[in-house]
Amino acid sequence: MRVTVLRKKVNFLPDSSRVVARYFINSDLRTRNLITRISQMTEIQVSHALEQTLREFASRHRNISRLFFKHCNNIRGVIEDMNINFDSLSDDRKMLLGSYCTMEYSIESAAFFNPSIIEDFDQSYLKKDEKRVIISFRATGEGHISSIVFRRAILDANSDLHLSKMGDYIDMAEISHKKLYDKGRFLRRLKEMGIPEKYSMTIMNDLPDRFEYETLKNSVKNILKDQDITASRRMALEEITWLVDSFYDIQFHKDSDITERVIFPISESESRGIEDARFVRFLEDDGSTRVYATYTAFNGHTIMPKLISTKDFYTFRVMPLRGSGAQDKNLAIFPKKIKGKYAMLSRIDGVNNYLMLSDRATLWNNPKLIQEPKFPWEFTQIGNCGSPLWTEKGWLVITHGVGPMRRYSIGASLFDLDDPSKEIGRLEEPLLMPLEEERNGYVPNVVYSCGSIIHNNNLILPYAVSDYSSTYAVVDLEELFAALIN
């Protein structure tokens, strides 16, 4: 049975004008030469050069002088190693130094894709049958570095999206790292990451049962100074640093609009990008709600599944996921507990769908196979397209399937509410396949989603078009259920 899919004429396109001012640094030698040149300038020359820089860039960023001070402070150690009294430098000279350690980066110049959608916390001042929503996207810029960005909109009674005005600036979050770590848990995570004990124990043996962030960072840094260290040991030690950097909180300014907030790669674990965030409104046992998102951190050679948590979209807690089931990509958490346990979909072998249950949102073991490729359009692999949706008829899981010519299509399955390992039904044919005009892009022949919602008995399905841009479609739930349950 075929299901009617209404594609809406809304396109979310990459915008190269969306830039952030990020920290930029060359080698120590080039930085020292730069500091020497600026040290030789008179205060008048410094003031003139700074004024020219502010004239060109102050209108493009909120409080860029604050960033200049921050980035100058990042090289304070280099400055003081040159026997320069950092505190004696004028504010203008510090800002000028910081400007040379700053670069603009266009966060979505290459692609704007893999959307997910959730209900906003605030549903006030709306008309009947309207819903305020937040849409997340994977924004990709130069070097294929990905970040998470947001849009706010209102869905009306006809399931048409009315987008809110975009903010004028992009706000980079302030970061604070977790201060104390449990040695036993940390060692277990290192083992799960496959780091040989002969490398990890050279560091961990000297640490107490609970150690501080800076203690571990400094220990690794001192060993890495040895130029004769083997490549395999260097990589292992860098991955230990990677893990400790993966626990942090980020805080956005209260005067920033949600369209201005970008979750940009911060730790070494995600230096090459934050991929495919699947956001979901989670219902707690006490009736309160928070937002979770799973995403994949990538550093160029290793991936790490991570979890974001927020209650207001200003403050986010970021934690790595661990356990034998927290592997590979395609993790999606259920919107509430099932029989007192957190539940998660995964694709640990890259081919099939698995279910995991856990007492903790960050620890995932014992994945259970629940779905294998069944139809030709999904023979290569099957996975989720975001968190399951609760319905009276069962857990609705939007899936993706990969078929001939690595073509990605979107399908749907239904699972039992009390035991989501039991499949009730699955579409024989895809809900969405790339139309002719959707086939060309950064990655051809792909339609893909990271999360949907239900609105006025319709499935609202945002999706990416060939990993370049995004749009959305609407599916009548009754028609979809009729195809799934037969």
Side-chain angles (χ1 to χ4, degrees):
M1 178 177 177
R2 295 185 180 274
V3 179
T4 305
V5 177
L6 176 62
R7 284 170 159 90
K8 293 289 187 174
K9 300 300 181 182
V10 173
N11 290 311
F12 298 94
L13 298 170
D15 182 355
S16 59
S17 69
R18 303 276 288 171
V19 295
V20 295
R22 59 182 293 205
Y23 181 56
F24 164 74
I25 193 65
N26 280 305
S27 64
D28 269 5
L29 177 60
R30 293 181 66 177
T31 303
R32 286 172 177 270
N33 290 337
L34 170 67
I35 294 167
T36 298
R37 295 184 185 107
I38 295 176
S39 297
Q40 292 169 351
M41 297 172 68
T42 67
E43 284 298 329
I44 293 176
Q45 290 172 323
V46 166
S47 180
H48 182 64
L50 178 63
E51 176 60 30
Q52 288 178 324
T53 303
L54 292 173
R55 184 170 62 243
E56 294 295 326
F57 292 96
S59 63
R60 293 168 64 86
H61 305 276
R62 180 188 284 114
N63 199 358
I64 197 170
S65 59
R66 176 183 58 85
L67 278 177
F68 289 167
F69 279 121
K70 178 181 178 181
H71 293 169
C72 179
N73 197 62
N74 288 348
I75 60 169
R76 178 170 184 155
V78 180
I79 294 171
E80 292 179 338
D81 282 345
M82 296 173 64
N83 295 319
I84 297 173
N85 186 339
F86 183 85
D87 293 328
S88 69
L89 298 177
S90 67
D91 284 350
D92 280 3
R93 198 174 295 269
K94 289 178 181 177
M95 280 193 285
L96 185 62
L97 281 163
S99 72
Y100 281 90
C101 299
T102 305
M103 64 174 285
E104 285 192 333
Y105 181 84
S106 180
I107 60 172
E108 55 188 69
S109 58
F112 198 72
F113 60 124
N114 292 3
S116 72
I117 185 171
I118 62 167
E119 293 182 23
D120 198 341
F121 288 111
D122 180 13
Q123 294 295 321
S124 59
Y125 303 110
L126 295 175
K127 297 178 182 178
K128 183 181 178 182
D129 294 329
E130 287 185 338
K131 183 176 291 180
R132 187 174 288 110
V133 295
I134 295 172
I135 313 170
S136 70
F137 297 88
R138 176 182 172 186
T140 301
E142 177 188 354
H144 199 70
I145 297 176
S146 301
S147 53
I148 302 172
V149 296
F150 305 99
R151 299 290 185 269
R152 180 175 269 129
I154 292 175
L155 275 167
D156 67 16
N158 296 318
S159 296
D160 290 320
L161 272 176
H162 302 269
L163 294 169
S164 300
K165 182 180 180 296
M166 296 272 289
D168 294 327
Y169 302 96
I170 295 182
D171 191 33
M172 294 280 281
E174 297 293 332
I175 178 172
S176 59
H177 281 96
K178 180 178 177 179
K179 295 296 187 291
L180 283 174
Y181 296 83
D182 180 271
K183 185 174 177 178
R185 290 179 184 174
F186 200 83
L187 283 170
R188 286 193 291 273
R189 189 64 180 102
L190 293 178
K191 185 176 181 180
E192 290 162 5
M193 291 171 62
I195 297 175
E197 287 189 10
K198 64 180 180 179
Y199 298 136
S200 63
M201 296 313 294
T202 58
I203 294 291
M204 303 306 294
N205 280 340
D206 295 331
L207 295 176
D209 290 340
R210 291 181 65 80
F211 59 89
E212 294 184 349
Y213 169 80
E214 291 295 341
T215 302
L216 178 61
K217 288 276 286 187
N218 290 334
S219 296
V220 174
K221 184 178 179 180
N222 289 334
I223 295 178
L224 290 177
K225 288 179 180 178
D226 183 359
Q227 298 299 315
D228 296 327
I229 190 172
T230 64
S232 56
R233 187 182 183 198
R234 179 176 294 276
M235 180 177 289
L237 293 174
E238 287 174 347
E239 289 187 348
I240 292 174
T241 303
W242 176 31
L243 178 58
V244 76
D245 276 338
S246 296
F247 299 84
Y248 58 85
D249 292 339
I250 55 176
Q251 173 73 53
F252 290 97
H253 295 96
K254 287 292 185 180
D255 62 352
S256 67
D257 183 72
I258 193 168
T259 62
E260 298 176 316
R261 299 171 212 154
V262 55
I263 300 179
F264 196 78
I266 292 173
S267 71
E268 283 299 316
S269 65
E270 51 203 34
S271 59
R272 301 305 300 170
I274 295 173
E275 301 181 359
D276 302 348
R278 287 158 158 77
F279 281 84
V280 63
R281 279 281 297 270
F282 188 87
L283 180 64
E284 302 281 7
D285 292 338
D286 61 4
S288 64
T289 59
R290 72 166 62 234
V291 169
Y292 283 122
T294 54
Y295 73 86
T296 305
F298 182 56
N299 71 347
H301 56 83
T302 308
I303 64 172
M304 175 185 285
K306 299 181 80 169
L307 183 72
I308 305 175
S309 172
T310 184
K311 289 186 175 181
D312 56 12
F313 279 87
Y314 286 105
T315 301
F316 295 80
R317 173 151 291 180
V318 181
M319 300 160 286
L321 296 175
R322 61 188 186 89
S324 60
Q327 308 293 328
D328 212 323
K329 301 181 179 183
N330 219 234
L331 295 163
I333 195 166
F334 281 64
K336 64 178 183 177
K337 292 181 179 179
I338 298 174
K339 296 182 178 179
K341 292 184 178 292
Y342 293 96
M344 179 89 81
L345 293 177
S346 68
R347 196 189 63 214
I348 61 169
D349 57 9
V351 177
N352 306 298
N353 266 333
Y354 290 79
L355 173 72
M356 299 180 289
L357 301 175
S358 177
D359 293 322
R360 297 173 57 186
T362 55
L363 178 62
W364 299 96
N365 290 304
N366 305 315
K368 179 180 181 180
L369 177 66
I370 62 170
Q371 210 174 32
E372 298 175 278
K374 184 177 181 181
F375 304 112
W377 59 274
E378 60 187 15
F379 273 178
T380 300
Q381 73 183 50
I382 186 172
N384 70 73
C385 272
S387 293
L389 299 169
W390 184 93
T391 74
E392 291 183 351
K393 298 183 184 298
W395 289 109
L396 178 60
V397 176
I398 307 304
T399 63
H400 72 263
V402 182
M405 295 295 293
R406 197 176 174 265
R407 180 177 60 191
Y408 276 69
S409 303
I410 295 177
S413 300
L414 196 65
F415 291 85
D416 185 83
L417 286 176
D418 294 323
D419 183 2
S421 67
K422 295 180 180 178
E423 184 182 74
I424 298 172
R426 188 192 315 193
L427 294 185
E428 293 185 13
E429 297 183 358
L431 268 180
L432 279 172
M433 297 177 72
L435 297 177
E436 186 61 34
E437 62 268 25
E438 295 175 332
R439 292 182 60 188
N440 297 320
Y442 192 76
V443 181
N445 305 307
V446 172
V447 288
Y448 194 85
S449 178
C450 285
S452 312
I453 61 169
I454 293 171
H455 173 62
N456 292 344
N457 209 36
N458 287 323
L459 172 70
I460 309 299
L461 174 60
Y463 66 95
V465 177
S466 292
D467 280 8
Y468 172 71
S469 62
S470 297
T471 183
Y472 79 105
V474 178
V475 181
D476 181 86
L477 274 185
E478 295 304 320
E479 190 175 333
L480 178 58
F481 286 139
L484 285 168
I485 306 171
N486 51 45

